[in-house]
Amino acid sequence: MVQVAWLSGRCNNQDTVCASSRGIVYAGIATLIGESDMASFLKSKTHRALGLFALCLGLFSAQVQAQTPPGQPPAAAPDPATQPAATGISKYQSAIVQVAALVPREAQSVATLGARRSGSGVIIGERLVLTIGYLLLEADQVAVISASGKRIPGAVAGYDHATGFGLVRTALPVDGVVLPLGDSDQLKERQKVLTQGHGEAEATELMVLSRKPFAGSWEYLLEKPIYTFPPVNNWSGSALIAEDGSLVGIGSLILNDAADQPRGVPGNLFVPVNLLKPILSELLADGRRKSNVQPWLGMTTEVVRGNLMVVRVSKDGPADAAGVEPGDIVMGVGPERVADQADFYRRVWQAGPAGATVALRLLKGGQVRDVPVKSIDRMDFLRKPSGV
């Protein structure tokens, strides 16, 4: 099971423990990139920051189960000693901004994401900033802080649950360069990329680790996200930049299983920008996507001992109204059995667009029961954010 750490992975000066884990990480890197490339890695700038190994160890100690995106960022700025080596490239700095959002206490998402949220964003238009959507979910107040320190009022311009993207429209033009959207489909494993978050003077060189699917417990599935290595702890809304200087991804998660093989290699997940292009005009016009809206059930699941278990249902949501309860085991959708979360989501979405009735087969109290759930568009369930 993939575990996701929402908190900053730090070693807390446990130097002895960090040193003992260093050999394990070296072995993992050698397996990942091959013995022939290991010598080059040891001489590279990426290897300079031995504090990476402390970060990796702290990452595992800070893990929690992947249930919801991060609510609030680390209180302190990332410690450079625990970060991979920077490339010395700083020309993207003015394109990266801070996004600060305030959400009313009565909003549904406050319980898991918190009321005050902060992360990075990327300027993609004169008054338009692209970020990760969980920062903006149900937000009433949004501000953008430029690299020069100017604070500019903004509003949520759009949010999309299926991709995880969020857009901020600022009241005034942001003083910074616009980063053009690149072609994220061109990114391949082992390709070099850069990442940069707000407050970082330089970009950090990363490697694309894999493009395997990612399934989140909150009814979220990306078929080809971008996993990168080594992990960085300023990921939320940060820019992923291709070698040609274009924006190819937005930072979303830090997790402990970013590679296809071997298992257990930590890294970050970025949402590919090509997922934004088909819906950008809809988000700007209506604040949400209008086409291909996925059915939403309002239930959180986790794989427990090989079974897909319901661990939470959204109060007054579709699953709650249908009688789905925590502890129920999802056996299938209609007559078709489900193998895992990704398989479950694909079968639910095959039932039709939002509003379709999804025939769940559940194990409840030792008995198999068919439970029809009338789905909805999640945007209709959430509190409408200010500005949309």
Side-chain angles (χ1 to χ4, degrees), residues 131-199:
T131 186
I132 196 66
Y134 54 69
L135 296 176
L136 307 177
L137 194 59
E138 300 185 290
D140 254 354
Q141 300 178 37
V142 181
V144 167
I145 298 89
S146 69
S148 66
K150 293 182 179 178
R151 187 180 185 92
I152 305 169
V156 179
Y159 169 78
D160 182 54
H161 174 72
T163 61
F165 283 125
L167 290 168
V168 176
R169 183 180 287 110
T170 57
L172 300 170
V174 183
D175 58 318
V177 300
V178 172
L179 213 55
L181 299 182
D183 186 358
S184 56
D185 288 343
Q186 296 303 311
L187 290 184
K188 308 299 182 185
E189 291 183 9
R190 299 197 178 191
Q191 189 168 334
K192 291 182 180 180
V193 288
L194 300 173
T195 187
Q196 189 161 0
H198 177 74

Side-chain angles (χ1 to χ4, degrees), residues 246-330:
S246 64
L247 179 68
V248 288
I250 292 292
S252 178
L253 305 171
I254 188 168
L255 32 72
N256 76 342
D257 194 13
D260 280 323
Q261 292 294 333
R263 302 295 301 272
V265 177
N268 294 102
L269 182 148
F270 290 81
V271 182
V273 297
N274 279 16
L275 296 178
L276 174 70
K277 295 174 183 179
I279 60 171
L280 180 57
S281 60
E282 292 181 344
L283 294 182
L284 292 176
D286 302 302
R288 59 200 284 182
R289 72 163 65 212
K290 290 295 187 179
S291 57
N292 302 317
V293 180
Q294 296 168 344
W296 183 74
L297 305 181
M299 51 189 280
T300 302
T301 58
E302 290 287 356
V303 176
V304 179
R305 296 180 180 179
N307 297 308
L308 189 60
M309 178 180 289
V310 179
V311 295
R312 186 170 64 243
V313 295
S314 298
K315 184 179 179 182
D316 299 325
D320 186 33
V324 180
E325 300 174 301
D328 291 348
I329 302 296
V330 180

Side-chain angles (χ1 to χ4, degrees), residues 71-73 100-103 105 110 113-118 135 151:
Q72 300 185 43
L102 182 63
V103 182
R105 294 287 179 182
V110 167
L113 296 172
R116 292 183 178 273
R117 306 170 195 170
S118 180
L135 296 176
R151 187 180 185 92

Side-chain angles (χ1 to χ4, degrees), residues 11-30:
C11 199
N12 296 326
N13 296 321
Q14 298 175 17
D15 296 331
T16 301
V17 179
C18 290
S20 69
S21 67
R22 197 168 299 160
I24 297 174
V25 179
Y26 273 136
I29 295 172

